[in-house]
Amino acid sequence: METLIERLSAVRERIAAAARRANRDPAAIRLVGVTKAQPVEAIRAALAAGLHEIGENRVQEAEAKMSALAADRRRLTLHLIGHLQTNKAKKAATLFDMVHSVDSLRLAQILDRHAAETTDRLPVLLQVNVSGEMTKSGFDLCHWETLPDVYDRFCADVEQILALPHLEVRGLMTIAPWGPDPEQARPVFRAARRLRDSLALRFPATAWRDLSMGMTDDFEVAIEEGATIVRIGRAIFGER
Ligand SMILES: *Cc1c(COP(=O)(O)O)cnc(C)c1O
């Protein structure tokens, strides 16, 4: 059995190799270790191995784990990567360091209100669905490049979100549909990147630096297509 340290270093090597293939600096890619459905010990082991960025997809599960890890909380950067219900936005705004899954104007407005109660602006990503897969949440941007209405409607929401004083929009997050061949994810990642580039032209006061995309099965393709954050669970922590 491989140890977590071995799996983590193998993942880091694959990240670096993918970055080099794309003429990118490996240091520009953040690795978030996804510990959903893993015990608290997995987070402790990640910390011991030098992985401090942790992703969870459920507010309640993350809350329970963080109370068990209170002494280590300051050493962790905690990312919310799963769909957020508005009734959990208050808890999420205080618990997480970054929310990847802002998928509606209404959620952004509610998160902004609650983020106001904490001191800093809450870093967020806008989750976009560019593949049209019905099961994926996210702003609907299927065929945005050929459907001006789809893009304009999104931009109207983005304009309002960027005006919210307590959120700091850092970029986009997307999930590619699962498929046996990671190459199938490439056009999805490419569409997300082009969308980011397009938003950066339309809203130049925002940096739009981050693209959170790529998981165990497709992170190398995501990096080749411009991911700045990859969210990896199974390749580091084993099957759930
Ligand atoms: C579970 C999950 C991941 C990690 O998936 P793996 O296939 O285990 O790497 C990444 N992002 C999101 C949104 C997830 O729900």
Side-chain angles (χ1 to χ4, degrees):
M1 261 267 296
E2 275 181 309
T3 65
L4 183 131
I5 290 181
E6 286 165 345
R7 288 193 300 260
L8 179 60
S9 79
V11 165
R12 288 202 194 279
E13 274 169 33
R14 287 169 63 190
I15 289 172
R20 283 192 298 269
R21 279 199 295 281
N23 287 316
R24 300 183 56 204
D25 177 5
I29 295 147
R30 281 165 81 178
L31 169 60
V32 172
V34 175
T35 51
K36 68 180 184 200
Q38 300 283 356
V40 171
E41 287 67 40
I43 302 180
R44 286 209 182 89
L47 276 173
L51 178 61
H52 297 256
E53 307 234 27
I54 294 296
E56 286 281 342
N57 68 335
R58 288 159 181 257
V59 175
Q60 263 163 328
E61 182 179 336
E63 188 183 18
K65 288 175 178 174
M66 289 308 114
S67 60
L69 284 168
D72 293 311
R73 178 64 186 91
R74 280 182 306 111
R75 298 166 60 212
L76 280 174
T77 302
L78 189 64
H79 299 256
L80 177 61
I81 60 172
H83 175 67
L84 177 58
Q85 291 169 298
T86 52
N87 63 354
K88 303 218 173 87
K90 182 183 171 76
K91 179 58 70 184
T94 56
L95 189 63
F96 291 92
D97 299 298
M98 184 167 186
V99 175
H100 292 223
S101 45
V102 172
D103 57 8
S104 70
L105 172 61
R106 187 170 119 77
L107 175 62
Q109 289 166 333
I110 294 170
L111 259 184
D112 176 72
R113 260 206 333 267
H114 294 303
E117 293 154 23
T118 65
T119 48
D120 294 331
R121 286 170 67 174
L122 178 66
V124 299
L125 303 176
L126 308 182
Q127 182 174 352
V128 294
N129 180 345
V130 289
S131 73
E133 198 181 30
M134 296 301 289
T135 54
K136 297 280 187 283
S137 46
F139 287 93
D140 177 14
L141 282 145
C142 190
H143 303 303
W144 70 273
E145 288 174 285
T146 49
L147 298 175
D149 284 359
V150 167
Y151 181 62
D152 289 343
R153 212 175 318 123
F154 179 55
C155 284
D157 285 348
V158 169
E159 187 164 13
Q160 291 193 62
I161 294 171
L162 294 180
L164 296 171
H166 303 290
L167 298 187
E168 180 188 331
V169 176
R170 297 237 179 124
L172 302 179
M173 182 273 235
T174 202
I175 304 173
W178 188 87
D181 178 4
E183 282 301 323
Q184 290 177 298
R186 192 180 295 278
V188 173
F189 295 145
R190 196 168 282 172
R193 191 220 174 107
R194 277 203 296 261
L195 177 61
R196 190 274 306 267
D197 293 347
S198 174
L199 291 167
L201 290 175
R202 180 123 163 200
F203 302 102
T206 298
W208 299 104
R209 210 186 60 86
D210 280 321
L211 269 178
S212 168
M213 55 189 198
M215 310 171 24
T216 289
D217 292 322
D218 55 21
F219 70 89
E220 287 149 308
V221 172
I223 289 168
E224 288 168 14
E225 295 303 327
T228 64
I229 302 176
V230 290
R231 312 174 306 265
I232 301 180
R234 288 167 300 137
I236 299 173
F237 300 102
E239 294 297 324
R240 288 181 287 273

